[in-house]
Amino acid sequence: MTGAKRKKKSLPWSKMRIPRCEDFKQWCRRRLPILEWATHYSLKESLLPDTVSGMMLAVQQVAQGLAFAVLSSVHPVFGLYGSLFPAIIYAIFGMGRHVATGTFALTSLISANAVERLVPLSSQNLTTHSNTSVLGLSDFEMQRIGVAAAVSFLGGVIQVAMFVLQLGSATFLITEPVVSAMTTGAATHVVTSQAKYLLGMKMPHISGPLGFFYIYAYIFKNIKSVQLEALLLSLLSIVVLVLVKELNEQFKRKIKIVLPVDLVLMIAASFTCYCTNMENTYGLEVVGHIPKGIPPPRAPPMNILSAVITEAFGVALVGYVASLALAQGSAKKFRYSVDDNQEFLAHGLSNVIASFFFCIPSAAAMGRTAGLYSTGAKTQVACLISCIFVLIVIYTIGPLLYWLPMCVLASIIVVGLKGMLIQFRDLKRYWNVDKIDWGIWVSTYIFTICFAANVGLLFGGVCTTAIVIGRFPRAKTLSTKNMKEMEFKVKTEMDDETLQRVKIISINNPLVFLNAKKFHNDIMNIIQKENTGNQPLDEIRKYEQSTLVSSLSGVCNEEATQPCLNPKCSLVLDCSGLTFSDYTGVSMLVEVYMDCKNKSVDVSLVHCTASLIKAMKYCGNLDSEKPIFFESVSAAISNIHLNKNLSILSDHSEI
């Protein structure tokens, strides 16, 4: 008996297999994406565009690094470090090949709250200048970067913990309207925080609930203290930046290298300020001394971690959500995949490791990522090349930026946020597609500007989930049809070959952000499965009764997972059970249509409501030459049969 018991106990251990070398290689490829794309890197095709993109990106990294460091209430030189180390770490662990990680306006604004609270400006007179201080900076500056580094460290630890808990799969709760509203609101906060530099005003740090309105109340109350020279220089800088960037965008196809207007403006403004001595003559605030080199690594102060936990959570959530949206956008644009959990690890390590090198919290920025698109970057090699140029600035060019006016730096920040601010145009699209998403966008934006980006993000996620839960009980789950009539029409009017090429799937649940991604994956799996054999004609009834989305998680029936039987097949989506959809669901339907079109699969949609047809036409560029919406399944199949006969006639005419 004892021997039998021992055998039973040892049974689970016998099932475990010893890890092999191949398993370790697969794990490394999965957790170190650089090993996957670097082995297939083409020097001939990719090195030149990556080099050009890296040079342009370095200009943005330097300008935004200096600016966002000031936004984070630390010395500008620490922004240069924040543009270097996180970019290197993300290039190794990140999956977004066109994502530019570095200093970020939203995370800098959040960390500034902790810096100003724990090391206020009033304590500057209480600290002394130490000769043993890092890079010759004052103890006050080192205390401030210590707080910012602690926020970065703890925020990164939270992101790594979320990776361990596999919480990346929960990001579908944060919909596109919520991310758009949150980033737009946070960009509005950043512009407001730069008002004091644009106007040349001395202003105390104002934060907290409704701080957005208190800042403007202070400005209007002290409007007479506006420095005219700073205001004129700010307006001139903004006009030049916007005008040149618009010209670059219009003529980017005719010119191979765009003009780095940020760099030109920084050099011109610094030279002009130096020659005219604006700092002393007009009292214009400048960047000041930027020391050379990189200090030895030092651990962030661990004794203040409990005091910055609120800001750390804000940095972890806001930075990750904004970065993931950019990574998914680039993956969709250039057709590769991004693992949500791996992005948690990549950004977590970018914050944790970089915090030991005096870096402020980092994330991916929309302006830099858009810059990589426009300059034709191929891989993360562009970001690594930009790090080389940032390193050159740190060791050689940095001290020459002493005379750079702060109002010019603030102008570069404001213009760099253009991509976020023009997201106001999304309101028209949300109104035409789903008015509930429009309301969520507006309410999330209001919460963001009234409180903070992390509060707006949480409100938007909770609000979206609550609304969908409230709408689901009213949704129908099944649709009824006269199956015999439809089957009779199909059998008498169509030939066998046409029937074998048609895949009919009915959607019997709402299509919203909760199941939209699974819906797309299920459709793509159906199309990509290998042909295992022809199905008989009487299987058409099973086709019609198959349900793609049978529950909130979007599980496919066995019939729905049958492969398309020919290289060029047709897909009929029966939307009679699709009782309602949100913006994410409509966008996913359009994406399914476009993906199928690229795979030479004709898609027809039947039993669609008028609102769904209007939303899909507004949301995407659908094929206007041939119809895709039909009143019934039999009408869709008749159209497929007609198109087949026309294609046969055209083939004969070509012969």
Side-chain angles (χ1 to χ4, degrees), residues 60-208:
Q60 288 182 298
Q61 290 279 35
V62 170
Q64 294 182 359
L66 295 172
F68 294 156
V70 175
L71 183 62
S72 192
S73 298
V74 298
H75 194 279
V77 72
F78 298 118
L80 297 179
Y81 305 153
S83 300
L84 174 66
F85 294 105
I88 297 174
I89 299 165
Y90 182 83
I92 298 172
F93 293 96
M95 298 188 71
R97 300 174 194 170
H98 302 81
V99 173
T101 303
T103 54
F104 186 43
L106 309 189
T107 54
S108 297
L109 195 63
I110 294 172
S111 66
N113 294 331
V115 173
E116 294 288 349
R117 188 180 74 252
L118 298 179
V119 190
L121 196 62
S122 58
S123 65
Q124 184 174 9
N125 297 329
L126 303 177
T127 58
T128 58
H129 184 81
S130 175
N131 293 329
T132 60
S133 181
V134 177
L135 298 175
L137 298 175
S138 66
D139 291 338
F140 173 76
E141 295 290 356
M142 297 311 301
Q143 289 175 12
R144 287 201 148 195
I145 187 57
V147 175
V151 174
S152 177
F153 174 81
L154 188 55
V157 169
I158 293 171
Q159 289 174 328
V160 173
M162 290 179 174
F163 160 75
V164 173
L165 297 174
Q166 298 290 293
L167 293 181
S169 57
T171 53
F172 68 91
L173 295 172
I174 309 298
T175 62
E176 182 180 334
V178 173
V179 175
S180 173
M182 182 271 293
T183 52
T184 307
T188 309
H189 269 296
V190 175
V191 172
T192 302
S193 69
Q194 296 303 297
K196 61 180 180 181
Y197 298 115
L198 295 172
L199 302 175
M201 295 179 63
K202 300 293 183 182
M203 184 188 303
H205 181 77
I206 302 174
S207 62

Side-chain angles (χ1 to χ4, degrees), residues 354-365:
S355 66
F356 288 82
F357 294 90
F358 305 95
C359 293
I360 59 179
S362 64

Side-chain angles (χ1 to χ4, degrees), residues 6-18:
R6 287 177 181 173
K7 286 182 180 180
K8 287 182 180 179
K9 289 182 179 179
S10 62
L11 188 60
W13 295 99
S14 63
K15 293 183 179 179
M16 296 180 62
R17 63 185 181 88
I18 300 173

Side-chain angles (χ1 to χ4, degrees), residues 445-478:
Y445 177 80
I446 292 173
F447 262 77
T448 301
I449 63 171
C450 289
F451 299 99
N454 51 347
V455 177
L457 183 65
L458 291 175
F459 169 81
V462 172
C463 184
T464 306
T465 306
I467 289 175
V468 170
I469 291 174
R471 293 171 77 182
F472 256 101
R474 300 194 300 271
K476 292 186 290 185
T477 56
L478 292 174

